[in-house]
Amino acid sequence: MRNQGAEERRRTVSRRQVLKGIGGAAAAVSFAGTASADDDWYNVVDEGADPTGGESINPVLDDIQCDDGTVLYFPEGEYLMDDSFRHVDFRGFELRGDNATIVPAADYDGRWLFKLGTFEQPGEDLVVEGFEFDFTDDDTGLRVVQAQVRDDLLARDLSVVGQHDSGKYGPFAFDVTSSSGIGTLQNIRIPDGGEFSDNTPGDIDVGPTGIIVSPYHDGKLWVRDCEVGAWPDNGLYCSTEGGRVVVDGGVFKNSNIANIRLSGDYSSIHGATVIVDERRTDDTNQRGIRLDGGAYNWIDDTVVRIDEPNGRAISVQNDVEWARIQNSSVIVNGDVSTKAVTVSPGAGKIDIINTDIEFNTSGHALVVGGPSSADADPVYILKSSVGGSGDGSNGRHAVRLERGNCTLDRFDVEQTGGDYRRAVKVLGDGSTFVWGDYDTGHIPLVNDADGTTFRGITAESHDGYEGMKVIDGSSGVEVTESVIHNGVWEYGDVDVTYDGNWF
């Protein structure tokens, strides 16, 4: 019999208000135990669902008439599902669990459990919260929730326990299909990750992704305080072009391809922690963050820590029109040659502000690719640093500036490793260095470009080499009001102007 208790039929705030609050400062507002007076509230146990996991609940769910405003409430218990539940083109629908665990049947061969809306028939005003999905048995795992709504999506307090080792699609997919729509994912926990398809009965390419935001996403989606770990084909994968995704907090660990893969204009990451401390296989690429495309991508107040290098910490891809890395920390440890932060040649304007890279292996802490001409899209590296014990055994220079038109203002590099470690190699024309300290074992600064300006900088080799080397063919180089320990090595035919320096 339908449960219509008064305490279960009231609503103190609208879903839209809550969604906005969760996206901003009012995240403490809760839906728990509330529904509008117009909602049809079904306690699935009262409707006949077995809360002990002994019998499938799908026949019960199929018998419930889900209209606009329907709420399916799952009391505490364990619920077996041996088929999918599909509900599309709705306006108002809620799945609410109260410490409810969903267990897919061992012989269920489907792709998903709950499919709520499609890109052709999206829903609107959807809440899914309070469920645990049990993948602890061998060869289990599928998409537990796929939701595509025009507007008003809230999915929170959802978790998967056990490794996804079936070789099927990953557990979560969410899209907000309207450009004015908004949604929030909060406290989604999938730390046990998934197995590569080669080691499973399934055959999807590479393996499952933890959370997917597809090209059909066109609105704004908050991803708040989620825990995502060790997925074979990206942890959080956002492949939208027109939509926006904002990652706020959370921990992302040990996924392949990228732990966070982001695209879309104004998409951003704030206050997240990204960790690679488990090298899963030798032929994977476990990047920390990959910015794929769009304008005004932003990484802020984020820590990327790579303790088992198997890919780059942050990579900015060719289709990114503008990106900023700000107030962040990148730490790379280990004994494997790698790159910490890379900018692809086709990427547009790049800002790196107030960001520190601690680089304790061989390779490059920062590589900026791109056209070497002085009119290339600008790169600004401001109030930032590279430190650590990186050495020159595989990649002599900690920083390679292959693009022209770079500005390095109060940028410091100190690398204490041996093997002829150097600080910066300048390969693009028209770059400017202002008020930075460069300290390495071998020659800190190597210029192989035209029109480079060094002003107010300090360069010192702690092994007694020259502080700067200017390569044959360099012209229009200016060194002013700088401290260059042991002088400048002019290697070949060069054109350098000096003014007010100390050698």
Side-chain angles (χ1 to χ4, degrees), residues 366-429:
L366 172 63
V367 178
V368 180
S372 61
S373 59
D375 62 353
D377 285 330
V379 173
Y380 296 95
I381 305 173
L382 312 176
K383 297 182 180 179
S384 298
S385 68
V386 172
S389 59
D391 65 57
S393 61
N394 193 340
R396 188 67 55 82
H397 304 87
V399 178
R400 284 179 60 88
L401 300 179
E402 300 169 2
R403 181 182 301 196
N405 198 21
C406 295
T407 298
L408 297 87
D409 186 340
R410 288 156 289 179
F411 177 58
D412 301 330
V413 179
E414 181 178 10
Q415 289 275 269
T416 61
D419 290 297
Y420 299 97
R421 187 57 158 176
R422 296 170 174 172
V424 182
K425 187 167 188 178
V426 185
L427 294 160
D429 298 337

Side-chain angles (χ1 to χ4, degrees), residues 28-367:
V29 179
S30 174
F31 278 146
T34 64
S36 75
D38 296 328
D39 288 344
D40 289 328
W41 180 285
Y42 293 88
N43 182 321
V44 297
V45 174
D46 290 347
E47 299 296 323
D50 179 3
T52 70
E55 296 183 6
S56 170
I57 66 171
N58 285 94
V60 174
L61 299 182
D62 292 342
D63 285 344
I64 296 174
Q65 180 65 42
C66 291
D67 298 316
D68 290 348
T70 296
V71 179
L72 300 185
Y73 170 69
F74 292 70
E76 183 173 0
E78 185 173 287
Y79 300 88
L80 180 69
M81 292 185 68
D82 61 0
D83 203 350
S84 60
F85 175 88
R86 188 175 188 267
H87 189 34
V88 301
D89 198 23
F90 54 83
R91 188 176 178 88
F93 180 67
E94 303 184 15
L95 289 175
R96 294 170 176 252
D98 184 1
N99 293 319
T101 298
I102 305 292
V103 182
D107 58 353
Y108 176 46
D109 197 34
R111 292 184 174 182
W112 35 264
L113 292 181
F114 294 99
K115 190 169 189 177
L116 307 174
T118 68
F119 71 91
E120 293 178 324
Q121 295 180 292
E124 186 170 332
D125 196 2
L126 171 67
V127 177
V128 183
E129 69 173 349
F131 291 94
E132 179 179 276
F133 299 90
D134 189 344
F135 290 172
T136 54
D137 284 348
D138 291 341
D139 302 331
T140 56
L142 71 167
R143 182 154 295 162
V144 295
V145 177
Q146 178 166 315
Q148 292 177 300
V149 301
R150 289 180 292 273
D151 192 10
D152 288 358
L153 164 67
L154 176 61
R156 69 177 176 185
D157 298 335
L158 304 175
S159 65
V160 171
V161 295
Q163 188 183 53
H164 187 299
D165 57 0
S166 66
K168 298 179 183 179
Y169 292 142
F172 293 107
F174 300 100
D175 297 318
V176 177
T177 61
S178 170
S179 60
S180 61
I182 187 171
T184 294
L185 315 180
Q186 184 172 18
N187 195 28
I188 291 179
R189 301 177 305 281
I190 45 175
D192 296 331
E195 182 59 85
F196 287 85
S197 288
D198 287 347
N199 302 321
T200 72
D203 58 1
I204 65 170
D205 188 39
V206 183
T209 291
I211 302 173
I212 291 179
V213 181
S214 86
Y216 296 110
H217 173 66
D218 203 34
K220 180 179 180 181
L221 184 67
W222 290 85
V223 181
R224 294 176 57 90
D225 300 325
C226 294
E227 183 180 1
V228 178
W231 293 88
D233 191 12
N234 297 282
L236 169 64
Y237 183 11
C238 308
S239 59
T240 176
E241 292 185 5
R244 181 182 180 190
V245 176
V246 179
V247 179
D248 183 11
V251 178
F252 303 80
K253 293 182 67 174
N254 294 324
S255 287
N256 181 41
I257 303 181
N259 285 273
I260 301 176
R261 185 170 173 177
L262 202 65
S263 65
D265 292 354
Y266 298 96
S267 290
S268 56
I269 302 168
H270 307 268
T273 300
V274 180
I275 298 171
V276 176
D277 60 5
E278 177 186 347
R279 189 182 180 95
R280 301 197 68 190
T281 68
D282 290 335
D283 60 352
T284 56
N285 186 7
Q286 293 172 260
R287 277 173 285 209
I289 296 172
R290 172 171 160 169
L291 301 181
D292 262 7
Y296 311 110
N297 293 163
W298 187 18
I299 301 171
D300 176 57
D301 189 28
T302 289
V303 176
V304 182
R305 185 179 187 95
I306 311 294
D307 290 327
E308 289 286 340
N310 195 15
R312 300 163 187 181
I314 299 174
S315 62
V316 182
Q317 302 297 103
N318 283 319
D319 290 336
V320 174
E321 298 176 34
W322 177 93
R324 171 170 290 178
I325 303 169
Q326 185 172 9
N327 301 326
S328 295
S329 297
V330 177
I331 304 102
V332 179
N333 298 314
D335 55 6
V336 176
S337 179
T338 191
K339 299 178 177 69
V341 179
T342 63
V343 178
S344 295
K349 177 184 175 183
I350 306 297
D351 300 334
I352 301 175
I353 303 172
N354 240 8
T355 291
D356 299 319
I357 303 173
E358 182 182 332
F359 195 74
N360 298 314
T361 188
S362 64
H364 306 296
L366 172 63
V367 178

